[in-house]
Amino acid sequence: MQLSVLVLTFLAGTISSTHGEATFSSHIFKHVKTKTSPEVQQTATAELISRIVPERASQFKVTVDSALKPNSFKITKTSDSSVVLIVGSSGVAASKGFYHYLKYYCGCHVSWDGDQLDLPDDLPNVNVSVEAPSSIVYYQNVCTWSYSFSWWTWTEWRRHIDWMALQGITLSLAPFQEDLWTEVYGEYNLTQHDIDEHLSGPGFFAWQRMGNIRGWGGPLTESFKTFASDLQAKVVQEMRRFGMILALPAFAGHLPVQFKTLFPQAKLNPVEVWNGFPAQYASPLFLDPVDPLFQKIGSKFVAKAIARYGTDHIYFSDPFNEIQPRSESARYLASAAAGIYQAMVDVDPLAVWLLQGWMLVKNPFWSDRAIKAFFTAVPNGRMLVLDLQSEQFPQYVRTQSYYGQPFIWCMLSNFGGTLGMLGSVDLVFERIRETRSNESMTMIGTGITPEGINQNYGLYEFALEMGWNPDISDVDNWFTRYAMVRYGNDDKRLQDAWSIFRSTVYSFKGMEMMRGKYTFNRRPSLKLQPWVWYNETRFNEGVELILAVNGSNELFKHDVVDLTRQFLQNTADKLYLTIMDTYTLKNAAAFKHYSNLFKELLQNIDRLLATNQHFLLGRWLESAKSLATTSLERQKYEYNARNQITLWGPQGQIVDYANKQWSGVVQDFFLPRWSLFLQEMELALATNGTINETKVRDKIFRKVELPFNTDRKKYPAEASGEDALELARELHQIWSERSREMKKLPREVLKIRKKGRKSFV
């Protein structure tokens, strides 16, 4: 049903901010601005509106006025007109203004997972002005291009760029560079074989670019280089049409191993082995930024990037991502930073170095002295730091606001594109406001830097809106409204449900890693420690409220599957603990009973996931294969896609890091692993023996994990057609009853729990 206009027009009036965050940025980055004319930006926004609401587009008139304050918009509509007038300082600002009206006045919603665009017949009157408190709203992590964007075509990017504009994103990345490096390497007389040994496959670009690995998932074909290069050129052009700023790649010092032979006198050293990768794929060379050769190669590369894409004067380079510099000397670190920066300004005197601050997180190498030397070696205002996980491990306080360098407050939240529900909404809300109000801070913007997208959507929209809406003062109200606009339904049960989710799964405050503390989607072991930080009973009440509503909206159906998946995932954790307890007690009958339930649960989860297209392995694999031009490429891309979400490396170097609870993965990867492991446990009980986890892990690797990586089985790319809501209700009832049964465990099991062998909140 359409939402009440009265409920949604709470923002009527004037919203403004003149905080120092924007003032500081405009002073520092006067030269970093769009070169796209207001007329082109205006056209881009009008075309966006036509794509979003084609039948109502004539009721919106857009103007881009660069004389307005940066990142601001005005929306007006009076009762004597049927047209909504939107004036923005840029195409991005105007697009954000359009979405602001859709969301807060029409009760509509646009997300990664779909849209709810049930506009009222009569568009509401409005008179509102907004000036964003953040002068930069940033989006993307270098890893997003591997965990989520690897197989995207223009179709996916067309939709995503529209979403970026609607969210008011002003700065992002253009990271594809393998075509340019192929040219550079060729100019240094590397053979095609040398280049093939270095460049990774599409599923692993991010870590090859940062010098962590080389060649894994490759060799990279010329057809993919051409495809990706052409695609990025189109993506960059379209983003700039809205007035967005794009950061181009710069040289970080990582080179093919053959450069050691070519330049024996250069300061070239192998990077330390990352996550146990074998020699064939490990230790690319790192060219010391103090070496004169660094300037030659770095300048050559930046010049090629500018020639291909033009420039907005921002360049990203991450030389020490999970890599230690060769020396802790302050003099060396200052020289290294200066050398990296110099390779940019040799080509572009106005260059700004964009750096991910991840290298500082939980890394004892970076002492206060080392950090100061590194960051002060670049002229103030010519380095822009992404404080990559500000919601949990902020570095801006420890580094005294990066010793004067401007930074962007970023929410990371997701690692590997995994699907568990988690978040720290209160920390996002509190820390952005606190930092923004602290005049000693050099924060100039906010943003999101997830390693993977398509999960926990509300969390990301909230963080992005904190960059645009200075009047968010009540997090609970924001999520209540989120439920209303996402589903286009003012049913109070939906609002109450999201109030519960906001105070449970999205309420984490602490230093412990939230992600990955599940069981069924991890490699089996006797030593897993499932953990939740929230009141699970309370969370389940929210799930029950959602399932009680007869919603038909596509976003509602998506969330029904995702929420029930989370409930069933938590149930699997409890089952795992019970299985381990019965094993410890050597109760073979009880062990077999609960093991069978565990396997049945995984089958149920796969069946549920199959009801929604967003939870299908087939979509991921088919999108990978569709980019191939030969059968060999098709096989390679499918292997990249399968390996990334399972073993992540030739022998499982980062196994399960990026796993996905998708239909197909549960049935043919997680379930067979656990079936084999439980079978070995059952055999140990029957023979009064013990289980050798090392041998069993090797058996799982050989019989399940490796075969899945090389298999060519075709999976559905369309949903099963089964009613997701009815199935979710059925499974919720069945497993709620079985969970209650597990609470009535034998006394001896409860004794084990009381001793603390396992814990489950």
Side-chain angles (χ1 to χ4, degrees), residues 661-690:
Q661 297 91 315
W662 286 340
S663 176
V665 183
V666 178
Q667 185 68 38
D668 288 347
F669 189 76
F670 299 143
L671 177 57
R673 288 201 304 191
W674 277 103
S675 295
L676 194 156
F677 190 78
L678 294 171
Q679 184 181 10
E680 293 291 329
M681 292 177 70
E682 185 176 3
L683 179 62
L685 283 178
T687 59
N688 199 29
T690 58

Side-chain angles (χ1 to χ4, degrees), residues 3-139:
L3 300 184
S4 165
V5 171
L6 178 63
V7 172
L8 290 162
T9 55
F10 73 98
L11 285 175
T14 300
I15 299 174
S16 65
S17 172
T18 57
H19 197 272
E21 182 182 343
T23 304
F24 177 73
S25 174
S26 61
H27 172 70
I28 292 290
F29 293 138
K30 287 183 177 180
H31 64 287
V32 178
K33 57 185 178 182
T34 182
K35 299 178 182 66
T36 305
S37 70
E39 292 76 18
V40 171
Q41 296 181 59
Q42 184 171 303
T43 299
T45 306
E47 291 171 354
L48 178 153
I49 293 172
S50 295
R51 287 189 293 271
I52 299 296
V53 289
E55 296 179 358
R56 308 289 293 274
S58 61
Q59 293 180 268
F60 296 89
K61 182 180 179 181
V62 175
T63 301
V64 171
D65 183 356
S66 57
L68 291 177
K69 289 184 177 180
N71 285 359
S72 65
F73 59 79
K74 298 177 181 179
I75 317 171
T76 56
K77 180 188 176 299
T78 59
S79 55
D80 60 357
S81 173
S82 62
V83 177
V84 179
L85 304 177
I86 303 170
V87 183
S89 58
S90 66
V92 167
S95 299
K96 177 63 180 176
F98 171 62
Y99 185 56
H100 185 91
Y101 182 76
L102 287 184
K103 180 177 180 179
Y104 288 109
Y105 293 85
C106 301
C108 295
H109 182 68
V110 177
S111 79
W112 292 331
D113 313 307
D115 306 330
Q116 188 283 110
L117 292 168
D118 187 13
L119 275 72
D121 293 335
D122 296 320
L123 295 180
N125 294 337
V126 58
N127 182 15
V128 64
S129 298
V130 173
E131 182 185 341
S134 293
S135 62
I136 294 177
V137 178
Y138 177 81
Y139 168 57

Side-chain angles (χ1 to χ4, degrees), residues 304-323:
K304 287 181 179 292
I306 293 173
R308 178 153 182 80
Y309 300 110
T311 185
D312 297 321
H313 307 299
I314 297 186
Y315 308 89
F316 69 92
S317 174
D318 295 296
F320 302 123
N321 180 72
E322 300 182 15
I323 294 171

Side-chain angles (χ1 to χ4, degrees), residues 112-113 139-141 143-145 147-149 152 157 160 163 414-419 448-457 460 660 662:
W112 292 331
D113 313 307
Y139 168 57
Q140 287 184 20
N141 184 308
C143 299
T144 321
W145 283 75
Y147 286 133
S148 294
F149 305 155
W152 280 17
W157 273 111
H160 204 61
W163 172 84
N414 178 270
F415 291 82
T418 52
L419 301 185
I448 61 172
T449 52
E451 284 194 351
I453 64 170
N454 296 115
Q455 31 66 37
N456 296 299
Y457 180 77
Y460 296 103
K660 305 293 188 293
W662 286 340

Side-chain angles (χ1 to χ4, degrees), residues 582 587-597 682 685:
T582 58
N587 187 331
F591 173 86
K592 187 169 185 177
H593 171 69
Y594 288 114
S595 294
N596 288 336
L597 285 182
E682 185 176 3
L685 283 178

Side-chain angles (χ1 to χ4, degrees), residues 363-375:
N363 187 348
F365 173 92
W366 289 96
S367 65
D368 292 346
R369 183 168 175 267
I371 293 171
K372 184 175 183 179
F374 188 84
F375 285 97

Side-chain angles (χ1 to χ4, degrees), residues 418-548:
T418 52
L419 301 185
M421 297 180 71
L422 53 84
S424 300
V425 167
D426 289 317
L427 292 182
V428 173
F429 178 67
E430 293 163 6
R431 287 182 174 166
I432 288 178
R433 285 160 59 97
E434 289 169 1
T435 310
R436 184 174 281 155
S437 64
N438 187 337
E439 294 183 359
S440 69
M441 289 292 171
T442 56
M443 181 175 90
I444 64 168
T446 54
I448 61 172
T449 52
E451 284 194 351
I453 64 170
N454 296 115
Q455 31 66 37
N456 296 299
Y457 180 77
L459 183 70
Y460 296 103
E461 180 156 313
F462 175 79
L464 287 170
E465 193 160 339
M466 285 293 295
W468 271 92
N469 187 348
D471 278 13
I472 296 178
S473 58
D474 189 317
V475 179
D476 291 324
N477 284 344
W478 192 95
F479 276 92
T480 296
R481 295 185 183 104
Y482 175 80
M484 296 166 65
V485 299
R486 184 166 174 84
Y487 306 133
N489 190 327
D490 56 9
D491 191 313
K492 190 174 183 301
R493 291 172 294 182
L494 298 173
Q495 299 167 40
D496 291 344
W498 271 94
S499 179
I500 290 172
F501 303 146
R502 170 261 176 282
S503 63
T504 52
V505 289
Y506 296 130
S507 67
F508 183 72
K509 288 187 177 182
M511 302 293 284
E512 188 167 354
M513 183 181 75
M514 288 177 281
R515 60 191 171 86
K517 298 297 180 73
Y518 307 117
T519 52
F520 86 78
N521 56 322
R522 293 177 66 191
R523 182 180 269 173
S525 169
L526 299 175
K527 303 179 183 66
L528 299 180
Q529 293 284 346
W531 170 76
V532 294
W533 59 91
Y534 53 91
N535 185 315
E536 197 182 342
T537 300
R538 184 69 175 145
F539 171 79
N540 292 343
E541 291 172 0
V543 177
E544 290 170 8
L545 286 170
I546 290 280
L547 296 184

Side-chain angles (χ1 to χ4, degrees), residues 686-724:
T687 59
N688 199 29
T690 58
I691 184 172
N692 185 320
E693 285 208 58
T694 301
K695 289 185 177 180
V696 175
R697 186 164 55 247
D698 179 66
K699 190 174 183 179
I700 288 172
F701 177 73
R702 289 183 289 104
K703 290 186 173 292
V704 179
E705 294 170 343
L706 269 183
F708 181 86
N709 274 244
T710 57
D711 197 4
R712 304 295 300 279
K713 177 179 176 180
K714 188 178 176 67
Y715 291 88
E718 300 293 335
S720 65
E722 188 170 9
D723 188 289

